[in-house]
Amino acid sequence: MSSCKTLIRTSLSTLESKFHPFPQKPFYSLAFRPPIQGPICPYNVRSKQYGTIQAAISVESSNNSNSLVDDNDEESSKDNVEKLLTNRDDVMHFMKMERRCTVGESRGSSSKKERWFPYLDRYKCGDDVYLSSGEVVEAVGPYLMEERKERFVRVARNRSYSVCLVVEGLSDFGNVSAAFRSADALGVQSVHVVSCDSSKRYRENRHVSMGAEKWLDIELWDTPQECFEVLRSRGYRIATTHVGMDAVSIYDMNWSCPTAIVVGNENRGISNEALQLSDLHCSIPMKGMVDSFNVSVAAGILLHHAVCDRVSRLGGHGDLTSDENQILLAEFSLRHSKSAISIAHEYAKQKAAMLMPKL
């Protein structure tokens, strides 16, 4: 029996030495790259052919820690929502392309307010070094799988900032995460979180968001007044959900104009401060014995109806211009993985080297 075990181990060792399940050469290497020729295109890489998407992920992730595989795995995203909502610096760091001024950007001499879009067409790679959205897409694109690039294009085409979601004073991370997931699924890019009690700790999100927070623009506010002032400066009307005599049915509202939908605490609902500062109160007509939905369900219903109403009135929900679409594509590309940031910075270095005059 022992001789049989020895023979089996020897055979397996021989097989392992002859056959490698994955190529030994990394998918790409920033240290060994071809010289730039002609227009700036630093990485002349031929696409690999894989039998399945899973095979591509297995090959690329097993051989190179910098491969552009989505690094939003279960362990890394476990407490992502909690981390984001308890650290404003992390939220701002999450967004990559340079952002416009927060307050007063849409105010000016013109009587007509400019439609809000948060990003400028540049990404900062260092001191006085910037890349345009086109350059970001050109640099990172060759390292994204075709399926991922196609999804980015499709999602950006259906995104809008004309409707945004505001969650005020929620006490359960699960509800916040579920609201984020609904916003992402329905093409609402901008979400805002207002905390009435900064000392309150949310419960674990239990992966309810499914990583949606990675692709949304999340902004944190200390008070409803602070949040609403900024939203109004961007051209939004503030619609708080409230069951009252003055509440307008969501089915009677025109959702084609920029609107911020506000949902409140699981037990207390919208705070008195938010109610007083809002432009209108709206409600979802109830047909049963209970008079309210779970807050995350209510957020999903509100957003879904807003999108459907916009489609019926405007022909579609996504309303970004071609330039804004490309900027959002660059934003998604940079958020895709940490390696995307490294590639963009390397591209910027080569761009700067090309522009440097020869002595």
Side-chain angles (χ1 to χ4, degrees), residues 169-188:
L170 298 190
S171 57
D172 189 336
F173 264 135
N175 285 328
V176 180
S177 299
F180 285 0
R181 184 174 177 179
S182 295
D184 173 71
L186 292 167
V188 175

Side-chain angles (χ1 to χ4, degrees), residues 46-328:
R46 297 179 62 185
S47 300
K48 287 191 174 184
Q49 300 297 320
Y50 302 102
T52 63
I53 295 176
Q54 188 60 44
I57 294 175
S58 299
V59 171
E60 295 177 13
S61 60
S62 63
N63 283 278
N64 189 2
S65 61
N66 290 326
S67 62
L68 290 192
V69 177
D70 192 344
D71 55 17
N72 189 33
D73 55 37
E74 183 173 343
E75 288 303 316
S76 64
S77 65
K78 184 175 183 179
D79 299 314
N80 224 20
V81 174
E82 180 176 1
K83 181 180 179 182
L84 287 173
L85 300 189
T86 52
N87 192 326
R88 185 168 301 188
D89 291 338
D90 284 351
V91 172
M92 295 307 299
H93 182 70
F94 208 59
M95 292 175 271
K96 309 303 182 184
M97 299 295 287
E98 190 166 327
R99 289 176 64 85
R100 290 168 56 178
C101 177
T102 300
V103 180
E105 183 69 24
S106 61
R107 294 172 181 168
S109 57
S110 175
S111 59
K112 184 178 180 180
K113 290 184 176 181
E114 181 184 354
R115 186 176 58 84
W116 170 254
F117 182 75
Y119 295 108
L120 299 173
D121 189 12
R122 60 182 190 176
Y123 169 63
K124 188 173 184 179
C125 296
D127 295 336
D128 299 323
V129 179
Y130 295 90
L131 294 180
S132 67
S133 58
E135 290 171 326
V136 170
V137 172
E138 181 183 3
V140 180
Y143 301 100
L144 297 175
M145 290 186 293
E146 288 301 319
E147 292 83 355
R148 174 62 68 167
K149 288 192 287 187
E150 290 172 3
R151 171 166 285 193
F152 284 170
V153 171
R154 184 172 67 254
V155 170
R157 186 170 58 244
N158 290 286
R159 281 298 209 240
S160 175
Y161 286 89
S162 295
V163 175
C164 69
L165 175 67
V166 181
V167 294
E168 185 213 12
L170 298 190
S171 57
D172 189 336
F173 264 135
N175 285 328
V176 180
S177 299
F180 285 0
R181 184 174 177 179
S182 295
D184 173 71
L186 292 167
V188 175
Q189 182 66 23
S190 177
V191 295
H192 303 257
V193 179
V194 181
S195 176
C196 293
D197 183 358
S198 60
S199 65
K200 185 172 292 184
R201 298 291 294 179
Y202 292 86
R203 293 193 289 273
E204 185 180 349
N205 66 61
R206 303 182 188 280
H207 314 293
V208 175
S209 70
M210 296 296 291
E213 72 283 350
K214 178 174 182 176
W215 309 107
L216 298 172
D217 294 356
I218 303 170
E219 297 182 66
L220 306 183
W221 309 97
D222 295 324
T223 64
Q225 181 177 359
E226 179 187 13
C227 177
F228 293 178
E229 284 181 356
V230 172
L231 289 176
R232 281 200 182 92
S233 75
R234 298 175 181 177
Y236 292 98
R237 64 176 176 175
I238 313 299
T240 52
T241 52
H242 178 63
V243 179
M245 295 298 294
D246 62 342
V248 179
S249 169
I250 62 171
Y251 304 123
D252 296 330
M253 293 174 58
N254 181 350
W255 293 94
S256 63
C257 62
T259 304
I261 304 173
V262 187
V263 296
N265 180 268
E266 293 87 345
N267 298 316
R268 301 185 303 274
I270 300 289
S271 68
N272 290 331
E273 181 184 7
L275 288 173
Q276 294 172 4
L277 293 172
S278 61
D279 298 311
L280 63 94
H281 303 158
C282 64
S283 65
I284 305 171
M286 307 294 297
K287 306 299 182 182
M289 297 296 291
V290 298
D291 60 0
S292 65
F293 287 102
N294 168 274
V295 63
S296 63
V297 173
I301 292 174
L302 286 160
L303 294 176
H304 183 266
H305 176 72
V307 171
C308 290
D309 184 77
R310 287 173 54 78
V311 170
S312 65
R313 293 176 187 271
L314 306 174
H317 171 62
D319 58 1
L320 301 184
T321 66
S322 57
D323 290 341
E324 291 168 347
N325 260 300
Q326 179 165 270
I327 294 173
L328 196 58

